[in-house]
Amino acid sequence: MLSFIESQESVFRLLTFFSIFSVMAAAEWLFPKRILTVSKAKRWLNNVALMMLNTAVLRAIFPLAAAGFAAWCTLEGVGLFNVFDSPLWLSVILSIVLLDGIIWFQHKLFHTVPLLWRLHAVHHADRDLDVTSGARFHPIEILLSMLIKFAAIALLGVPVVAVILFEVILSGMALFNHSNVAIPLSIDRWLRKVVVTPDMHRVHHSIHRYESDSNFGFNLAIWDRLFNTYRAQPEEGHYGMTIGIKSQREEKHVVWLTGLLALPFRLFKRAPENKQHNNSL
């Protein structure tokens, strides 16, 4: 199975991405959590356009992408898993978990460093959350994220198949936990013990900084609990909370593609807010 994934990377990626996208799009249409505040057609047009632009930029600048770099590291014996002999299955599992932790730290860094926050603000400025929000990032952030991923791959010596699986899991989970789907509380309570659910991640997109600076995980739920950044629920509830950035509400800046690309270069600051975490669930 692992050899098939490695040999059929493009097919595997496209099939899983569009399958998860279609399932979550249908789920949030059938079982929506919140009423959207911006025209869905307008948001989808621009969010998908940004996603396609990012794909083109990545292909142009990193034609071999992360899997190609991992193959080079394996060939040259670069990284821990290429130095110490271990079973492939163990290297794959450890690589996926460690890469997920690194992405958690990267996400927190983009919230902490002002210049990086300007880039990441494109993701947070979305005034609604749905499946397309999971792929809405500024091209420069995408490029920086790839460089961080390259460094992690070189350090760990991540097997090629682990890189492919991790990227598929990460993109699939981003589509899942950004979706506007209503999951029964009884299921969500147990599911979020392992992975990040839509309700758990929605807190992170609150207009309040004390809430958006929590729940940084995209995949495994353990990191936020481990580093005390877990917040169970939004203070105003999932139906009463406001999504987005307080100072960036105009559609020309937060909906349209031209505004999204220019957003990091506009002058704005994050409002300082501090409140205690609510870890009751």
Side-chain angles (χ1 to χ4, degrees), residues 130-147:
D130 65 18
V131 65
T132 65
S133 305
R136 172 183 151 137
F137 296 92
H138 196 277
I140 299 177
E141 179 178 0
I142 292 293
L143 293 175
L144 289 176
S145 296
M146 183 60 75
L147 290 175

Side-chain angles (χ1 to χ4, degrees), residues 56-91:
V57 169
L58 270 180
R59 290 291 183 185
I61 298 179
F62 299 111
L64 295 180
F69 182 68
W72 179 85
C73 289
T74 300
L75 186 64
E76 297 296 325
V78 175
L80 293 175
F81 292 123
N82 291 320
V83 173
F84 299 100
D85 189 27
S86 62
L88 178 61
W89 65 267
L90 180 60
S91 298

